Amino acid sequence: MNTRNFKHTRQQGLSLIELMIAMVIGLILLLGLIQVMSASRAAYQLSTGVARTQENARFAVDFMQRDLRMAGHMGCVNDQAHMAPERPGATDASRQGLNLWFLDPDQRTARNYQAAAFPLRFDMGVQGFEAKATGPTDTRALATGTPVAGASDQWSPALPGAISRLNPVAGSDIVVVRYLSRDGVPATLASTGAATYAITPEAYGSQVSTVDSTGLFGLSDCQQASVFASNAVDAAGVVSVGMAGLNASGLIGDEWSFEGSTQNKPMLYRAEAVVYYIGIGTGLNADGTGRAALFRARAMNNAGVVTFVPEELVEGVESMQFLYGMDEHLPNDLPRGNVQRTRLASAVNATPNNNPTNAQADEWRRVGAMQIGLLMRSSDRSSAGQANTVPKVLGLSLTRPATNDGHYRSVYETTVVLRNRLFGN
């Protein structure tokens, strides 16, 4: 019987120890890859947050600068010249050159500008409201969650109803700017009745000033300016005006310069009154909370009622602060364009009042420059580490939340010259 010898061969493969070593090496490589991806994601989020805050800050500052530089524009000359008394110490009745049709004849004769509704105080090109406890030496904690609208008495002076109804967020300053628009058009004014007028603009340039109308207009030459509300603007751009609704008076002392003039015609402008403030934006954070945003509200005449219509400009503005550069303190002389003092809105005049007298308004007319400070925050969490330093906005120290919220923050400051207020313009 033949017997066969079978050779037993060992099975080839990985042992359990080798397999475990391979798994450990693979896990180490996978962990390194995850860390690289996580770091890349955090860097991307941070760079996105930086880019968004820079972009939003540039947009916000650029938009505000356009309006602030126009403050006090009244056509040929500014509001300082139109509102100057004939001589130091003269009565308010001696102030010549600015006629608000919103005042009745007696009020216009006495130059009682306090009688005009707050949005219609075109005798003041700029007017500010200081959020209390937000001065250059103060400290304020940044709020967490959805921003909260403040009460009117959280600003100095207290907010008038027209602004309080906009629900601004507490802790940020507010500024109101009034001016006649940049684009003007020569116009002819004619009486169409005992108390009605028609203002016919000529074709001029690429834009007629009646386009995008607020319902408020100004008619100005180098001697005087009139601001009034229109009844209607037809397809040809003819503005119909009457002594009704907002207009308590009409041509009083204006007609010798405006009506029937065939040469050196007055210029027709839109009259603009805008408010810049921080409000609660429409966007939401990742956790569902609301965002602070910069708003611009524009005064609009709707059937004889003037209200501020808000428009959200840009998100991520957590704090906005203003300082006002004022002309040298020479109360018996006109402003000279020499800015040498910096004041908070609450200190521009000695007795803060949201409806200033002529003497108090004279102080606002000495403002020739403004400093703007913005604290910008990224819209989404950017994995940014909590900063060790406290951000300062025009000297105001803002303490960050106790726990790191992951948002990138940065401060932006600039100075804007009110070009219609300098060098005796």
Side-chain angles (χ1 to χ4, degrees):
M1 182 175 179
N2 295 328
T3 60
R4 296 181 179 178
N5 295 324
F6 294 93
K7 294 181 178 180
H8 296 279
T9 59
R10 299 177 64 183
Q11 183 178 359
Q12 302 296 317
L14 297 175
S15 67
L16 179 60
I17 295 176
E18 291 172 329
L19 182 61
M20 292 179 64
I21 293 173
M23 290 178 63
V24 170
I25 294 173
L27 289 174
I28 293 174
L29 294 175
L30 182 61
L31 179 61
L33 181 61
I34 292 174
Q35 289 179 335
V36 170
M37 292 181 62
S38 177
S40 298
R41 182 174 180 271
Y44 172 77
Q45 289 179 327
L46 180 58
S47 62
T48 300
V50 172
R52 287 291 298 273
T53 55
Q54 289 178 342
E55 178 184 342
N56 289 348
R58 278 195 292 264
F59 179 85
V61 170
D62 181 67
F63 220 99
M64 284 192 289
Q65 282 180 336
R66 296 180 188 181
D67 283 332
L68 292 175
R69 287 172 177 166
M70 291 296 295
H73 176 247
M74 286 289 156
C76 184
V77 294
N78 65 4
D79 59 341
Q80 292 175 334
H82 280 309
M83 282 299 298
E86 291 180 348
R87 59 188 179 280
T91 64
D92 286 336
S94 69
R95 298 172 185 266
Q96 302 295 326
L98 178 61
N99 295 323
L100 301 184
W101 291 20
F102 316 120
L103 306 178
D104 64 32
D106 291 339
Q107 291 166 345
R108 278 181 62 177
T109 299
R111 304 292 173 179
N112 180 17
Y113 294 100
Q114 277 188 299
F118 171 79
L120 305 177
R121 288 292 304 268
F122 282 90
D123 58 303
M124 288 190 295
V126 62
Q127 185 179 4
F129 297 85
E130 173 70 16
K132 291 183 177 179
T134 61
T137 60
D138 293 321
T139 300
R140 185 180 182 88
L142 290 175
T144 58
T146 301
V148 179
S152 61
D153 61 358
Q154 290 181 273
W155 282 266
S156 179
L159 300 182
I163 296 182
S164 185
R165 285 188 287 271
L166 296 173
N167 296 320
V169 172
S172 287
D173 296 346
I174 298 173
V175 67
V176 183
V177 188
R178 304 179 184 92
Y179 57 90
L180 300 186
S181 65
R182 177 190 61 187
D183 299 303
V185 54
T188 302
L189 182 146
S191 299
T192 57
T196 57
Y197 311 91
I199 303 173
T200 305
E202 298 177 356
Y204 183 75
S206 61
Q207 181 178 3
V208 176
S209 62
T210 53
V211 175
D212 191 26
S213 171
T214 60
L216 304 172
F217 291 92
L219 201 62
S220 174
D221 59 15
C222 292
Q223 294 176 312
Q224 56 191 346
S226 290
V227 184
F228 48 85
S230 65
N231 296 336
V233 181
D234 65 18
V238 177
V239 180
S240 300
V241 185
M243 286 189 294
L246 290 177
N247 297 326
S249 59
L251 290 176
I252 303 177
D254 300 349
E255 61 272 14
W256 67 272
S257 178
F258 293 160
E259 191 177 24
S261 176
T262 58
Q263 296 179 344
N264 299 322
K265 293 182 179 180
M267 301 288 286
L268 177 66
Y269 304 87
R270 292 191 313 270
E272 299 280 359
V274 296
V275 181
Y276 282 98
Y277 66 99
I278 304 301
I280 304 172
T282 55
L284 296 177
N285 296 313
D287 58 2
T289 57
R291 298 173 178 172
L294 174 64
F295 281 78
R296 178 182 187 262
R298 190 181 182 203
M300 304 290 287
N301 173 28
N302 184 12
V305 178
V306 176
T307 57
F308 284 110
V309 179
E311 176 185 11
E312 184 177 348
L313 292 182
V314 62
E315 64 186 9
V317 186
E318 264 191 313
S319 180
M320 178 169 65
Q321 304 297 322
F322 296 113
L323 291 175
Y324 299 86
M326 300 181 64
D327 196 276
E328 55 187 324
H329 186 59
L330 298 171
N332 292 328
D333 294 324
L334 297 177
R336 299 181 177 184
N338 180 20
V339 175
Q340 63 172 202
R341 299 176 290 156
T342 301
R343 294 288 185 271
L344 298 173
S346 56
V348 170
N349 51 269
T351 55
N353 183 358
N354 60 25
N355 188 24
T357 64
N358 284 339
Q360 294 168 340
D362 281 340
E363 293 301 305
W364 282 110
R365 280 185 286 273
R366 287 187 175 272
V367 174
M370 287 181 59
Q371 295 181 33
I372 304 173
L374 301 176
L375 176 65
M376 307 298 299
R377 193 196 76 172
S378 61
S379 300
D380 300 316
R381 298 180 185 274
S382 60
S383 300
Q386 194 82 321
N388 295 324
T389 59
V390 177
K392 289 190 175 183
V393 183
L394 293 183
L396 170 66
S397 298
L398 295 167
T399 58
R400 292 172 179 262
T403 57
N404 184 18
D405 59 6
H407 290 283
Y408 173 80
R409 291 177 172 85
S410 185
V411 176
Y412 298 86
E413 297 178 352
T414 189
T415 300
V416 181
V417 174
L418 279 58
R419 58 188 176 192
N420 295 293
R421 292 286 183 86
L422 298 182
F423 309 114
N425 181 26

